[in-house]
Amino acid sequence: QVQFVESGGGLVQPGGSLSVSCAASGCTFSATAMSWYRQAPGKEREGVAAIDRTGGRVGYANPVKGRFTISRANGKNTVYLQMKGLKPEDTAVYYCNRQFVLATWGQGTQVTVSS
């Protein structure tokens, strides 16, 4: 059974930085393209970043382009999201999942951007 455990969220001031992590189990992680998603209160979940199985290709949604960086460590079955220049509109619960065939969602990690 595929499982994801997200961690690293918290409260940060506008303009600040934060990194979140996601540990995966139950899948061949090194063969799986991964994505970060987020869901803000009252909004649908949206994809924000994606990375191929080797880490050689990445992509970002327009609202986070130039501010967020996705990376992965296949030896640790972990995918990361570094966030800089955070804005109040980045406030959301952040989740990871497979990019192409979604598995059961983890609990996510809350990121709150507020002064």
Side-chain angles (χ1 to χ4, degrees):
Q1 182 177 352
V2 181
Q3 289 188 321
F4 303 112
V5 178
E6 297 91 350
S7 63
L11 173 64
V12 62
Q13 292 187 342
S17 301
L18 196 65
S19 292
V20 292
S21 303
C22 168
S25 61
C27 65
T28 306
F29 185 76
S30 61
T32 305
M34 295 292 296
S35 289
W36 278 99
Y37 304 81
R38 68 185 181 185
Q39 187 167 21
K43 295 188 177 181
E44 292 188 355
R45 189 151 23 202
E46 62 176 356
V48 296
I51 188 167
D52 73 357
R53 58 189 178 88
T54 67
R57 285 198 297 184
V58 298
Y60 301 94
N62 285 337
V64 308
K65 200 170 292 184
R67 300 188 297 121
F68 289 13
T69 302
I70 188 172
S71 61
R72 65 190 297 158
N74 284 348
K76 297 181 179 179
N77 285 9
T78 300
V79 61
Y80 306 95
L81 187 68
Q82 293 179 294
M83 302 177 286
K84 300 179 181 179
L86 283 161
K87 305 175 181 180
E89 51 263 43
D90 294 318
T91 295
V93 180
Y94 284 72
Y95 304 85
C96 74
N97 209 315
R98 297 187 295 205
Q99 182 181 3
F100 298 116
V101 181
L102 295 177
T104 301
W105 295 96
Q107 84 287 349
T109 187
Q110 175 71 48
V111 173
T112 302
V113 185
S114 175
S115 55

